[in-house]
Amino acid sequence: MSQTVRAFVFDMDGTIVDNMAFHTQSWLAFFARRGRAVDADEFFRTTAGRQGGEIMRSYLGEHLSHEEVALLAHEKEELYRELYAPHLATVSGFDALIGAARAEGVKLAVASAAPPSNIDFTLDGLDLRHRFDTVVCAADVARGKPHPDGFLLAAQRCGAAPEHCIVFEDAPLGVEAARRAGMRAVVLTTTLPAEAFAEFDNVICIARDFSELNIAELFASSPATN
């Protein structure tokens, strides 16, 4: 009998790295340049996990062409990288968790709404890319979260069925994407408090960081018993 393939699928921003405050700052600065005042909390709740182009069109108009969106996104992401570069670091316990998971034969994937430039900035900046079996970014799927496309593609590339994947997320739209993919989710409270995820029936654990997690317990868990 073949062994079941298990996988951990990690969101990147706000999960592998605690950077969402810097993303929000860069968006606010980007919109301020255009005379738009945006509420930071509301912006995060409605956009975290969505692709940059989707956000641009939501706030600046659906009429924007692909080329216009690309130029605007480049400006915004340069702002973000400039702000966050001095602080680039993994969330506590991450390196130990993926090392232990790899030793137990768990496949490792990243599924992020980030553009390729930010994937490079983070994963290569931290020398992490080689530790993952696959990396899915915004350029690989047509739709961002809460659609499940990114998580499903990551699972497919890992050769793991959705029910044997555990997603790590920090945002409600990401947890919803995991739910739609048929995957259990672990929530990190790097960005929002635990109560922000009370409505989700696929959450098996809520933790401050990765140091609180146990691999065997996670795969043994089900939302119905947690």
Short mmCIF file of all heavy atoms in Angstrom, two decimals, residues 13-15 17-29 40-41 43-44 48 76 79-80 83-84 87 170 190-192:
data_model
loop_
_atom_site.label_atom_id
_atom_site.label_comp_id
_atom_site.label_asym_id
_atom_site.label_seq_id
_atom_site.Cartn_x
_atom_site.Cartn_y
_atom_site.Cartn_z
N ASP A 13 2.83 36.15 3.27
CA ASP A 13 2.75 37.43 3.98
C ASP A 13 1.86 37.32 5.21
O ASP A 13 0.69 36.93 5.11
CB ASP A 13 2.21 38.51 3.04
CG ASP A 13 3.20 38.86 1.94
OD1 ASP A 13 4.41 38.65 2.14
OD2 ASP A 13 2.76 39.34 0.89
N GLY A 14 2.42 37.67 6.36
CA GLY A 14 1.68 37.57 7.61
C GLY A 14 1.74 36.21 8.25
O GLY A 14 1.25 36.02 9.37
N THR A 15 2.35 35.23 7.56
CA THR A 15 2.40 33.86 8.06
C THR A 15 3.85 33.41 8.19
O THR A 15 4.33 33.17 9.30
CB THR A 15 1.61 32.92 7.15
OG1 THR A 15 0.25 33.38 7.06
CG2 THR A 15 1.60 31.50 7.70
N VAL A 17 6.32 35.36 7.30
CA VAL A 17 6.91 36.60 7.81
C VAL A 17 5.80 37.49 8.36
O VAL A 17 4.69 37.54 7.82
CB VAL A 17 7.70 37.35 6.71
CG1 VAL A 17 8.97 36.60 6.36
CG2 VAL A 17 6.85 37.57 5.46
N ASP A 18 6.10 38.21 9.43
CA ASP A 18 5.11 39.07 10.09
C ASP A 18 5.22 40.48 9.50
O ASP A 18 5.78 41.39 10.10
CB ASP A 18 5.38 39.09 11.59
CG ASP A 18 4.31 39.83 12.37
OD1 ASP A 18 3.31 40.26 11.75
OD2 ASP A 18 4.47 39.99 13.60
N ASN A 19 4.64 40.64 8.30
CA ASN A 19 4.88 41.85 7.52
C ASN A 19 3.62 42.61 7.13
O ASN A 19 3.71 43.60 6.40
CB ASN A 19 5.64 41.49 6.25
CG ASN A 19 4.82 40.57 5.35
OD1 ASN A 19 3.86 39.96 5.79
ND2 ASN A 19 5.20 40.48 4.09
N MET A 20 2.46 42.18 7.57
CA MET A 20 1.23 42.78 7.05
C MET A 20 1.10 44.26 7.40
O MET A 20 0.53 45.04 6.64
CB MET A 20 0.02 42.00 7.53
CG MET A 20 -0.09 40.61 6.90
SD MET A 20 0.04 40.59 5.08
CE MET A 20 -1.43 41.51 4.63
N ALA A 21 1.63 44.67 8.53
CA ALA A 21 1.58 46.09 8.88
C ALA A 21 2.34 46.92 7.84
O ALA A 21 1.93 48.05 7.51
CB ALA A 21 2.17 46.31 10.27
N PHE A 22 3.42 46.37 7.31
CA PHE A 22 4.21 47.08 6.30
C PHE A 22 3.49 47.13 4.96
O PHE A 22 3.57 48.12 4.23
CB PHE A 22 5.59 46.45 6.17
CG PHE A 22 6.40 46.52 7.43
CD1 PHE A 22 6.39 45.49 8.35
CD2 PHE A 22 7.16 47.65 7.72
CE1 PHE A 22 7.12 45.56 9.53
CE2 PHE A 22 7.90 47.74 8.88
CZ PHE A 22 7.87 46.70 9.79
N HIS A 23 2.77 46.05 4.64
CA HIS A 23 1.95 46.07 3.43
C HIS A 23 0.87 47.13 3.54
O HIS A 23 0.62 47.90 2.61
CB HIS A 23 1.31 44.69 3.19
CG HIS A 23 2.09 43.82 2.27
ND1 HIS A 23 2.39 44.16 0.97
CD2 HIS A 23 2.65 42.60 2.46
CE1 HIS A 23 3.10 43.20 0.40
NE2 HIS A 23 3.27 42.24 1.29
N THR A 24 0.21 47.17 4.70
CA THR A 24 -0.84 48.17 4.90
C THR A 24 -0.28 49.58 4.79
O THR A 24 -0.87 50.45 4.14
CB THR A 24 -1.53 47.96 6.26
OG1 THR A 24 -2.12 46.66 6.29
CG2 THR A 24 -2.61 49.01 6.48
N GLN A 25 0.88 49.81 5.42
CA GLN A 25 1.51 51.13 5.33
C GLN A 25 1.79 51.52 3.88
O GLN A 25 1.59 52.67 3.48
CB GLN A 25 2.82 51.13 6.12
CG GLN A 25 2.68 51.10 7.63
CD GLN A 25 4.03 51.02 8.30
OE1 GLN A 25 5.02 51.58 7.84
NE2 GLN A 25 4.08 50.28 9.40
N SER A 26 2.26 50.56 3.10
CA SER A 26 2.60 50.88 1.71
C SER A 26 1.33 51.15 0.89
O SER A 26 1.33 52.03 0.02
CB SER A 26 3.42 49.75 1.08
OG SER A 26 2.69 48.54 1.00
N TRP A 27 0.26 50.40 1.15
CA TRP A 27 -1.00 50.69 0.46
C TRP A 27 -1.53 52.07 0.83
O TRP A 27 -1.99 52.83 -0.04
CB TRP A 27 -2.05 49.64 0.81
CG TRP A 27 -2.00 48.38 0.00
CD1 TRP A 27 -1.69 47.12 0.44
CD2 TRP A 27 -2.29 48.24 -1.39
NE1 TRP A 27 -1.76 46.21 -0.59
CE2 TRP A 27 -2.13 46.87 -1.72
CE3 TRP A 27 -2.67 49.13 -2.39
CZ2 TRP A 27 -2.33 46.38 -3.01
CZ3 TRP A 27 -2.88 48.65 -3.68
CH2 TRP A 27 -2.71 47.29 -3.97
N LEU A 28 -1.49 52.42 2.11
CA LEU A 28 -1.98 53.73 2.54
C LEU A 28 -1.17 54.85 1.88
O LEU A 28 -1.74 55.86 1.44
CB LEU A 28 -1.92 53.85 4.06
CG LEU A 28 -2.80 52.90 4.87
CD1 LEU A 28 -2.65 53.16 6.36
CD2 LEU A 28 -4.26 53.01 4.45
N ALA A 29 0.15 54.67 1.81
CA ALA A 29 1.00 55.68 1.16
C ALA A 29 0.69 55.75 -0.33
O ALA A 29 0.65 56.85 -0.92
CB ALA A 29 2.46 55.34 1.39
N ALA A 40 -7.32 51.76 7.59
CA ALA A 40 -6.37 50.64 7.59
C ALA A 40 -7.03 49.33 8.00
O ALA A 40 -6.80 48.29 7.37
CB ALA A 40 -5.21 50.96 8.52
N ASP A 41 -7.83 49.33 9.06
CA ASP A 41 -8.44 48.09 9.54
C ASP A 41 -9.42 47.52 8.53
O ASP A 41 -9.42 46.31 8.25
CB ASP A 41 -9.14 48.33 10.88
CG ASP A 41 -8.16 48.62 12.00
OD1 ASP A 41 -6.99 48.25 11.88
OD2 ASP A 41 -8.58 49.23 13.01
N PHE A 43 -9.48 48.11 5.35
CA PHE A 43 -8.73 47.71 4.17
C PHE A 43 -8.18 46.30 4.34
O PHE A 43 -8.30 45.46 3.45
CB PHE A 43 -7.58 48.69 3.90
CG PHE A 43 -6.76 48.34 2.70
CD1 PHE A 43 -7.19 48.68 1.43
CD2 PHE A 43 -5.56 47.65 2.82
CE1 PHE A 43 -6.44 48.35 0.31
CE2 PHE A 43 -4.81 47.31 1.72
CZ PHE A 43 -5.26 47.66 0.45
N PHE A 44 -7.58 46.02 5.51
CA PHE A 44 -7.02 44.68 5.71
C PHE A 44 -8.11 43.62 5.68
O PHE A 44 -7.96 42.58 5.05
CB PHE A 44 -6.25 44.60 7.03
CG PHE A 44 -5.72 43.21 7.29
CD1 PHE A 44 -4.55 42.79 6.69
CD2 PHE A 44 -6.42 42.31 8.07
CE1 PHE A 44 -4.08 41.51 6.88
CE2 PHE A 44 -5.96 41.03 8.27
CZ PHE A 44 -4.77 40.63 7.67
N ALA A 48 -6.89 41.36 2.46
CA ALA A 48 -5.78 40.44 2.76
C ALA A 48 -5.98 39.11 2.06
O ALA A 48 -6.99 38.44 2.27
CB ALA A 48 -5.65 40.24 4.26
N LYS A 76 3.56 50.24 -5.96
CA LYS A 76 3.13 49.88 -4.60
C LYS A 76 4.11 48.88 -3.96
O LYS A 76 4.48 49.02 -2.79
CB LYS A 76 1.71 49.30 -4.63
CG LYS A 76 1.15 48.95 -3.25
CD LYS A 76 1.49 47.52 -2.87
CE LYS A 76 1.27 47.28 -1.39
NZ LYS A 76 1.74 45.95 -0.96
N LEU A 79 7.34 50.36 -2.73
CA LEU A 79 7.12 51.02 -1.44
C LEU A 79 7.18 50.01 -0.31
O LEU A 79 7.84 50.23 0.72
CB LEU A 79 5.74 51.70 -1.43
CG LEU A 79 5.61 53.08 -2.05
CD1 LEU A 79 4.13 53.46 -2.15
CD2 LEU A 79 6.37 54.11 -1.22
N TYR A 80 6.48 48.89 -0.48
CA TYR A 80 6.46 47.85 0.55
C TYR A 80 7.85 47.30 0.84
O TYR A 80 8.28 47.21 1.99
CB TYR A 80 5.53 46.71 0.12
CG TYR A 80 5.90 45.39 0.76
CD1 TYR A 80 5.71 45.19 2.13
CD2 TYR A 80 6.49 44.37 0.01
CE1 TYR A 80 6.09 43.99 2.72
CE2 TYR A 80 6.86 43.19 0.59
CZ TYR A 80 6.66 43.00 1.95
OH TYR A 80 7.06 41.83 2.54
N LEU A 83 10.01 49.60 2.82
CA LEU A 83 9.61 49.70 4.23
C LEU A 83 10.01 48.46 5.03
O LEU A 83 10.46 48.56 6.18
CB LEU A 83 8.09 49.89 4.32
CG LEU A 83 7.53 51.26 3.95
CD1 LEU A 83 6.01 51.18 3.81
CD2 LEU A 83 7.91 52.29 5.00
N TYR A 84 9.83 47.29 4.43
CA TYR A 84 9.99 46.04 5.20
C TYR A 84 11.41 45.48 5.18
O TYR A 84 11.78 44.72 6.08
CB TYR A 84 9.01 44.97 4.68
CG TYR A 84 9.03 43.71 5.51
CD1 TYR A 84 8.84 43.74 6.88
CD2 TYR A 84 9.29 42.47 4.91
CE1 TYR A 84 8.88 42.59 7.65
CE2 TYR A 84 9.33 41.31 5.66
CZ TYR A 84 9.13 41.38 7.04
OH TYR A 84 9.19 40.24 7.79
N HIS A 87 13.44 44.72 8.25
CA HIS A 87 12.79 43.90 9.27
C HIS A 87 12.60 42.45 8.82
O HIS A 87 11.98 41.66 9.55
CB HIS A 87 11.43 44.49 9.62
CG HIS A 87 11.49 45.96 9.95
ND1 HIS A 87 11.85 46.43 11.19
CD2 HIS A 87 11.26 47.05 9.17
CE1 HIS A 87 11.82 47.76 11.18
NE2 HIS A 87 11.47 48.15 9.97
N ASP A 170 -3.04 33.72 8.13
CA ASP A 170 -3.23 34.79 9.12
C ASP A 170 -4.43 35.65 8.81
O ASP A 170 -4.74 36.56 9.58
CB ASP A 170 -1.99 35.70 9.16
CG ASP A 170 -1.88 36.57 7.91
OD1 ASP A 170 -1.90 36.01 6.79
OD2 ASP A 170 -1.78 37.80 8.05
N THR A 190 -0.71 36.63 14.11
CA THR A 190 0.28 37.67 13.84
C THR A 190 -0.39 38.98 13.45
O THR A 190 0.17 40.05 13.67
CB THR A 190 1.22 37.24 12.71
OG1 THR A 190 0.43 36.78 11.61
CG2 THR A 190 2.15 36.14 13.15
N THR A 191 -1.57 38.88 12.86
CA THR A 191 -2.21 40.05 12.28
C THR A 191 -3.56 40.39 12.90
O THR A 191 -3.88 41.55 13.11
CB THR A 191 -2.40 39.84 10.76
OG1 THR A 191 -1.17 39.37 10.18
CG2 THR A 191 -2.79 41.13 10.07
N LEU A 192 -4.36 39.36 13.19
CA LEU A 192 -5.69 39.56 13.76
C LEU A 192 -5.87 38.67 14.99
O LEU A 192 -5.24 37.61 15.09
CB LEU A 192 -6.77 39.22 12.73
CG LEU A 192 -6.92 40.18 11.54
CD1 LEU A 192 -7.92 39.60 10.54
CD2 LEU A 192 -7.37 41.55 12.00
#
